[in-house]
């Protein structure tokens, strides 16, 4: 029966392949023995083409000529060392923030800075020191409350973005205690989603500047030429706790839901002991 044949072939394979190797193969081999030795690699056409004796058997020499020489084991190629992973969260004091922001950008990431101080010390710092602050919470809220159309909100963001691009500013996108509706309402051709990737560097030397930078901004900043300065950068700030970002920033349907978390380097500010903090 078929089952008997299969058992016979398996037994033959064990008999001749376990132990002494080629020296244990008989001087002449019939069809079933060859099948047992060849296993899944048995080729009926090759068997039919072999020279056989009057009993339909082949010699050991004929059979061995078909068996490829054992190949030495291939050496594994040395594995390339992966670049060191950027920490999911970097913690630093306010004095260490510039270095942390620079490190995030050097790694091709967009800084997402979390400040949990009750008095919003980072926002105060940016009001006095930052080149350009975009109040994303306010624009998103105005659109949500129907005080502005979605298109009006997009144009407001465009003007702020276009000015920062033309002037080469480090634009702070201030989200505060909100998840602005970038994924659903605000991101568009004049405020593109890739603004949030690699700290906005994809907009440098990109044709999108022609569309984004308004005429009056270009006339004031760059003598009418619509070019994105190579000094242009982006950072994002938030009052949310780091533990809440997945649910309120990056979850599906939230403001950053269409942006991979891997685009960002989360930087959590550490404040002096005694600084009032949000619950």
């Amino acid at each position: 029966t078929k089952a008997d044949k299969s058992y016979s072939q398996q037994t033959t394979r064990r008999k001749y392949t376990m132990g002494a190797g080629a020296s244990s193969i008989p001087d002449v081999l019939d069809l079933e023995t060859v099948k047992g030795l060849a296993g899944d690699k048995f080729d009926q056409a090759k068997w039919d083409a072999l020279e056989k004796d009057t009993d339909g058997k082949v010699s050991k020499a004929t059979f061995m000529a078909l068996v490829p020489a054992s190949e030495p084991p291939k050496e594994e190629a040395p594995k390339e060392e992966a670049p060191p992973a950027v920490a999911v969260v970097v913690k630093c004091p306010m004095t260490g923030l510039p270095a942390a922001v620079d490190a995030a950008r050097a790694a091709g990431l967009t800084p997402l800075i979390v400040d949990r101080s009750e008095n919003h010390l980072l926002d105060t710092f940016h009001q006095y020191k930052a080149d350009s602050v975009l109040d994303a919470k306010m624009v998103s809220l105005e659109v949500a409350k129907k005080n502005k159309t979605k298109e009006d909100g997009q144009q407001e963001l465009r003007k702020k973005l276009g000015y920062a691009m033309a002037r080469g500013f480090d634009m702070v996108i201030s989200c505060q205690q909100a998840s602005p509706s970038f994924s659903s309402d605000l991101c568009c051709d004049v405020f593109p989603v890739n603004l949030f990737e690699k700290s906005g560097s994809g907009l440098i030397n990109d044709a999108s500047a022609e569309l984004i930078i308004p005429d009056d901004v270009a006339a004031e900043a760059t003598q009418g030429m619509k070019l994105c300065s190579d000094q242009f950068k982006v950072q994002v700030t938030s009052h949310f706790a780091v533990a809440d970002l997945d649910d309120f920033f990056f979850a599906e349907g939230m403001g950053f839901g269409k942006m991979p978390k891997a685009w960002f380097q989360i930087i959590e500010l550490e404040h002096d002991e005694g600084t009032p903090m949000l619950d």
Side-chain angles (χ1 to χ4, degrees), residues 5-114:
K5 259 188 192 178
S6 175
Y7 176 77
S8 171
Q9 290 171 7
Q10 290 171 19
T11 304
T12 303
R13 195 177 310 127
R14 284 196 299 270
K15 177 180 176 183
Y16 292 117
T17 59
M18 295 173 62
S23 63
S24 64
I25 297 175
D27 291 335
V28 290
L29 302 88
D30 59 14
L31 176 59
E32 292 306 317
T33 301
V34 170
K35 282 184 177 180
L37 288 168
D40 294 338
K41 295 182 172 151
F42 176 75
D43 186 327
Q44 184 67 49
K46 286 185 178 179
W47 166 261
D48 292 341
L50 292 178
E51 184 180 344
K52 305 177 187 68
D53 62 17
T54 53
D55 294 326
K57 297 178 181 179
V58 298
S59 67
K60 175 180 175 179
T62 300
F63 172 74
M64 291 303 294
L66 295 176
V67 179
S70 298
E71 294 183 5
K74 293 183 179 177
E75 292 185 10
E76 288 188 11
K79 293 181 180 177
E80 293 184 9
E81 288 189 14
V86 177
V88 175
V89 179
V90 168
K91 296 184 179 183
C92 70
M94 286 280 287
T95 53
L97 184 58
V101 166
D102 287 345
R105 288 170 171 160
L109 301 174
T110 300
L112 169 52
I113 308 163
V114 170

Side-chain angles (χ1 to χ4, degrees), residues 41-278:
K41 295 182 172 151
F42 176 75
D43 186 327
Q44 184 67 49
K46 286 185 178 179
W47 166 261
D48 292 341
L50 292 178
E51 184 180 344
K52 305 177 187 68
D53 62 17
T54 53
D55 294 326
K57 297 178 181 179
V58 298
S59 67
K60 175 180 175 179
T62 300
F63 172 74
M64 291 303 294
L66 295 176
V67 179
S70 298
E71 294 183 5
K74 293 183 179 177
E75 292 185 10
E76 288 188 11
K79 293 181 180 177
E80 293 184 9
E81 288 189 14
V86 177
V88 175
V89 179
V90 168
K91 296 184 179 183
C92 70
M94 286 280 287
T95 53
L97 184 58
V101 166
D102 287 345
R105 288 170 171 160
L109 301 174
T110 300
L112 169 52
I113 308 163
V114 170
D115 177 23
R116 296 287 292 162
S117 63
E118 195 173 279
N119 294 322
H120 312 311
L121 298 177
L122 180 63
D123 292 345
T124 302
F125 172 80
H126 281 151
Q127 284 172 9
Y128 289 99
K129 296 291 186 181
D131 292 330
S132 173
V133 179
L134 190 163
D135 191 340
K137 174 195 169 184
M138 184 272 292
V139 176
S140 181
L141 188 60
E142 289 291 287
V143 171
K145 292 167 68 174
K146 309 294 185 186
N147 293 338
K148 277 187 172 78
T149 65
K150 181 170 74 172
E151 290 72 25
D152 285 344
Q154 291 169 348
Q155 288 302 316
E156 185 170 343
L157 296 180
R158 172 199 181 189
K159 187 158 188 176
K160 198 78 174 181
L161 171 60
Y163 193 77
M165 289 170 63
R167 288 291 191 185
F169 287 162
D170 188 344
M171 187 171 74
V172 176
I173 300 176
S174 174
C175 299
Q176 301 153 59
Q177 67 274 31
S179 183
S181 54
F182 293 118
S183 291
S184 57
D185 295 324
L186 299 179
C187 281
C188 57
D189 53 356
V190 294
F191 196 83
V193 70
N194 69 324
L195 164 70
F196 294 92
E197 185 180 10
K198 297 179 180 178
S199 200
S201 60
L203 300 184
I204 299 171
N205 297 324
D206 188 76
S208 60
E210 187 70 30
L211 186 66
I212 295 170
I213 300 175
D215 293 340
D216 59 334
V217 170
E220 177 190 344
T222 53
Q223 298 181 330
M225 294 182 293
K226 295 187 177 183
L227 300 172
C228 179
S229 166
D230 60 5
Q231 298 302 305
F232 170 71
K233 305 176 189 68
V234 168
Q235 57 181 288
V236 180
T237 65
S238 174
H239 298 168
F240 280 130
V242 169
D244 292 331
L245 291 175
D246 282 347
D247 290 333
F248 296 107
F249 248 52
F250 297 110
E252 186 176 355
M254 302 308 291
F256 288 73
K258 290 185 179 177
M259 302 165 208
K261 185 179 177 182
W263 284 3
F264 300 88
Q265 171 64 74
I266 300 169
I267 302 172
E268 183 177 12
L269 285 180
E270 294 180 314
H271 294 284
D272 294 337
E273 188 176 349
T275 301
M277 303 295 285
L278 296 171

